[in-house]
Amino acid sequence: MTDVRTGVIGAGAMGSLHVRLLASDVMGAELVAVADIELERAAQLAREVGVRAIGDGYELIASPDVDAVVVASSPETHEDLVRACLEAGKRVLCEKPLATSAEASRRIVEAEAATGRRLVDVGFMRRYDAGYRDLKRRLDDGEIGDPLLLHCVHRNADIPPSFDQRLAITDSVVHEVDVVRWLLGEEITAVIVVAGRPTRHAPSGVRDPQVVLLETASGVVVDVESFLRARYGYDVRCEVVGETGTLALPVPEPIPMGFEDRFAQAYRDELQAWVSGAPTGAGAWDGYAASAVTEACVRSAQTGLRTEVQLEAGARPGG
Ligand code: ISE
């Protein structure tokens, strides 16, 4: 089997993570180029792994020696870059969020559907984490009966000063939004965002910590604690309460300091699955659904009200 020739757009933290994994840890992948609008940043990363640097993501997408593309640039660029991959008929793994709005994400769903192929994967890597996969397997096996409640914790030790209230939801809580949809196999229909006493370390304008309540179509209630500047470590927890028992994600000891460490294997497995061509991860619809839920969360954080999720079910490929 010939290697899949890959290119990465974005030489920041996430792009660098994918470049280094594709260069050395993913079987069947041949990394051929790195692109970034800051050519020198792309060149520095490209030199590290011995590939070429490009100053334009669209040039990388058009390159005849690139079969598949990782989009890890700023979220504002995602829609146009993903759609350029679709027009070129190339598979794309887009880092979350798929786009900066539900409407933009829905346009990607429609553009992919028009190709008649599954070409889009979205970088919700927790679906590849062994702990979450075991949790889902046991839940699906009926070990605790029907799920009734989920208690989730998502604590970062620290986050960049540029983080604002919207990013707290769209860049962080978005992981729980996707993993809850995946664990339960159903949509989230309404949300409430509540914040109490802020930590003195909170980024300016950010209510940190905050609690996000998610309601699913079958009535499961999920509480997500989002704490961006918890200081002590990167701590992600998930407990499912069922009719006859509970299941919980194992908590690593010691608690790691960052997501790159906590989910290192999940990122490898996500890329390995993507390169293998088995579309087992989150797709364009999942990216759209996550965008619709996080938009409702942002609205609820502003109003304090229970907010219904606006999701155009008719846009779902295959109904
Ligand atoms: C970051 O972008 C991630 O994806 C991490 O998983 C999350 O914990 C962090 O809050 C985000 O900023």
Side-chain angles (χ1 to χ4, degrees), residues 14 95-97 122-127 132 152-154 156 163 167-183 188 214 224 234 236 238 259 263 267 270 290 293-294:
M14 289 312 300
E95 264 299 331
K96 53 70 180 169
V122 184
F124 289 118
M125 80 293 172
R126 293 191 187 181
R127 297 181 179 215
Y132 274 110
C152 302
V153 165
H154 184 170
N156 282 246
F163 238 69
L167 273 178
I169 301 287
T170 62
D171 197 60
S172 191
V173 173
V174 69
H175 282 294
E176 271 74 24
V177 169
D178 178 70
V179 87
V180 162
R181 290 184 61 255
W182 174 71
L183 282 173
I188 293 164
L214 308 171
V224 180
Y234 184 81
V236 169
C238 180
F259 63 87
F263 292 112
Y267 280 112
E270 175 186 55
V293 173
T294 54

Side-chain angles (χ1 to χ4, degrees), residues 102 169-170 173-174 176-178 181 186-193 212-215 286-300 307-311:
I169 301 287
T170 62
V173 173
V174 69
E176 271 74 24
V177 169
D178 178 70
R181 290 184 61 255
E186 58 177 325
E187 295 301 348
I188 293 164
T189 53
V191 303
I192 305 177
V193 178
V212 177
L213 291 178
L214 308 171
E215 296 172 28
D286 301 302
Y288 165 52
S291 294
V293 173
T294 54
E295 271 185 4
C297 290
V298 169
R299 286 198 302 273
S300 179
T307 305
E308 295 198 348
V309 176
Q310 305 300 318
L311 193 60

Side-chain angles (χ1 to χ4, degrees), residues 56-138:
D56 180 339
Y58 297 95
E59 183 183 332
L60 179 144
I61 293 166
S63 302
D65 65 339
V66 171
D67 304 313
V69 180
V70 174
V71 171
S73 46
S74 63
E76 299 72 27
T77 65
H78 288 186
E79 179 188 3
D80 290 346
L81 288 168
V82 169
R83 293 183 69 174
C85 291
L86 296 177
E87 286 160 18
K90 297 189 179 182
R91 291 177 54 231
V92 51
L93 171 60
C94 182
E95 264 299 331
K96 53 70 180 169
L98 178 59
T100 52
S101 71
E103 182 52 30
S105 296
R106 191 180 61 78
R107 288 194 291 266
I108 292 172
V109 169
E110 290 185 345
E112 181 191 52
T115 70
R117 298 167 61 193
R118 159 86 187 248
L119 291 172
V120 177
D121 276 67
V122 184
F124 289 118
M125 80 293 172
R126 293 191 187 181
R127 297 181 179 215
Y128 293 93
D129 175 69
Y132 274 110
R133 294 177 78 85
D134 185 54
L135 194 60
K136 178 167 176 58
R137 178 186 58 77
R138 297 170 69 187

Side-chain angles (χ1 to χ4, degrees), residues 220-292:
V220 176
V221 174
V222 181
D223 60 85
V224 180
E225 175 208 317
S226 166
F227 194 179
L228 297 167
R229 285 215 166 132
R231 318 295 281 181
Y232 72 92
Y234 184 81
D235 197 356
V236 169
R237 302 178 188 228
C238 180
E239 178 189 24
V240 185
V241 180
E243 293 171 297
T244 59
T246 67
L247 296 170
L249 206 58
V251 179
E253 282 297 336
I255 299 283
M257 290 306 291
F259 63 87
E260 302 90 336
D261 181 355
R262 170 65 182 78
F263 292 112
Q265 190 57 47
Y267 280 112
R268 283 190 191 86
D269 293 347
E270 175 186 55
L271 281 170
Q272 189 64 68
W274 178 66
V275 164
S276 71
T280 55
W285 173 266
D286 301 302
Y288 165 52
S291 294

